[in-house]
Amino acid sequence: MNVEGIIAVSGKPGLYKVVGQTKNGVIVQGLLDDKKVAMSTTSKMSALQDIAIYTYTEELPLVDVFDKIRVKEDGKPSIGHKSSAAILTAYFKEVLEDYDEDRVYPSDIKKIISWYNTLQKVGLAVETTEEADEAPKDELLEETAEKK
């Protein structure tokens, strides 16, 4: 899944794609509504590719979590982000068994699920060509190892 150029803006709902720069910030376009808005440098913006989720062993990139949700849901939307905290945490536990429950809050899970559903709705929750290319290479390596 490729989320390059996709950002979340603190205090604003939804996800945005960076489409240009201004003297004092960037121009973003809403993924769902296609409205263009200028964001100043004082706005707190987070690139999805830079976000990681705490697990007990490591920090897992958000893209990998999205991929786990995509695989679990077979490319379809996940549960609604407005579900209760208990339902959200139980669902997230199925997706990412070893997430750090002390550092990943229900509000974080709510955002992740909302973002995944947004990406899925606009057609970005798909397997990237890099991921598709990696699987055959692994199979070829195993086949050549077996032949030896």
Side-chain angles (χ1 to χ4, degrees):
M1 185 179 305
N2 186 5
V3 294
E4 195 170 319
I6 307 293
I7 63 169
V9 180
S10 182
K12 298 215 179 265
L15 294 174
Y16 300 88
K17 181 165 185 67
V18 177
V19 293
Q21 274 190 293
T22 65
K23 200 167 30 170
N24 299 339
V26 293
I27 299 171
V28 296
Q29 182 174 3
L31 285 184
L32 291 177
D33 59 8
D34 287 335
K35 289 184 180 176
K36 291 184 180 176
V37 181
M39 295 283 172
S40 73
T41 54
T42 59
S43 298
K44 187 169 189 251
M45 297 175 265
S46 302
L48 295 190
Q49 65 192 22
D50 295 339
I51 298 174
I53 303 302
Y54 294 112
T55 66
Y56 290 115
T57 55
E58 62 182 340
E59 289 183 19
L60 190 67
L62 183 60
V63 175
D64 293 348
V65 176
F66 286 154
D67 279 332
K68 288 178 181 283
I69 296 172
R70 180 185 53 79
V71 168
K72 180 184 182 341
E73 298 298 334
D74 199 27
K76 295 180 174 46
S78 70
I79 64 171
H81 67 279
K82 292 187 178 183
S83 301
S84 71
I87 292 171
L88 290 173
T89 53
Y91 176 82
F92 203 68
K93 193 79 168 160
E94 291 174 24
V95 172
L96 189 62
E97 298 153 1
D98 68 336
Y99 82 93
D100 190 340
E101 296 173 33
D102 294 331
R103 295 163 74 181
V104 179
Y105 302 106
S107 60
D108 299 328
I109 296 170
K110 184 177 182 177
K111 278 186 216 171
I112 292 166
I113 290 172
S114 172
W115 290 344
Y116 169 80
N117 285 333
T118 299
L119 292 169
Q120 193 278 332
K121 188 181 280 188
V122 298
L124 293 175
V126 295
E127 185 176 22
T128 58
T129 54
E130 285 177 8
E131 293 166 8
D133 289 345
E134 286 175 13
K137 285 179 189 172
D138 292 342
E139 291 171 10
L140 288 174
L141 289 174
E142 290 172 13
E143 287 175 12
T144 54
E146 289 173 6
K147 289 179 183 175
K148 291 180 182 178

